[in-house]
Amino acid sequence: MRQTLDPLVDVIDVAVLGCTHFPLIREEISQVLGKGVELIDSGTAIARRVVSLLTECGDKEGLGSKEVLAVLPLNKKKHLIKP
């Protein structure tokens, strides 16, 4: 991770965590980028949108099914979104 993020050190002051899995490695990202970089977590917004889309698609004529799978360490349950 350091090799990937090193070009950004001392260059940026904000990083948007745009993928749903980035919050899982937020601490590691923060350690590499430093305390001067604000991390914006879009995972919650993305998860809400996925729930919205699944609800919308599943309601059309009763077709389809909905199943959401996620893998998190047990101590990260607070990040789960309930529809």
Side-chain angles (χ1 to χ4, degrees), residues 4 7 10 12-13 17 21 25 27 29 35 39 43-47 49-50 53 63 66 68 72 74 80-83:
T4 301
D10 296 327
I12 64 169
D13 56 2
L17 306 179
H21 66 281
I25 57 171
E27 291 302 316
I29 293 171
K35 293 182 181 185
L39 299 180
T44 300
I46 292 169
R49 180 64 177 144
V50 168
L53 290 171
L63 300 176
K66 298 179 258 184
V68 179
L72 292 175
L74 294 177
L80 291 178
I81 303 254
K82 295 180 182 176

Side-chain angles (χ1 to χ4, degrees), residues 1-2 9 11-13 16 18 20 25 35-36 48 50 56 61 64 67-68 70-75 78-79 82:
M1 183 177 318
R2 180 166 298 283
V9 175
V11 175
I12 64 169
D13 56 2
V16 177
T20 56
I25 57 171
K35 293 182 181 185
R48 283 193 179 112
V50 168
E56 179 184 319
E61 301 177 24
E67 185 175 351
V68 179
V71 178
L72 292 175
L74 294 177
N75 62 352
K78 67 181 181 176
H79 297 291
K82 295 180 182 176

Side-chain angles (χ1 to χ4, degrees), residues 31-60:
Q31 287 176 3
V32 173
L33 293 179
K35 293 182 181 185
V37 176
E38 179 182 359
L39 299 180
I40 299 177
D41 180 357
S42 63
T44 300
I46 292 169
R48 283 193 179 112
R49 180 64 177 144
V50 168
V51 169
S52 168
L53 290 171
L54 289 173
T55 300
E56 179 184 319
C57 292
D59 289 343
K60 292 181 181 177

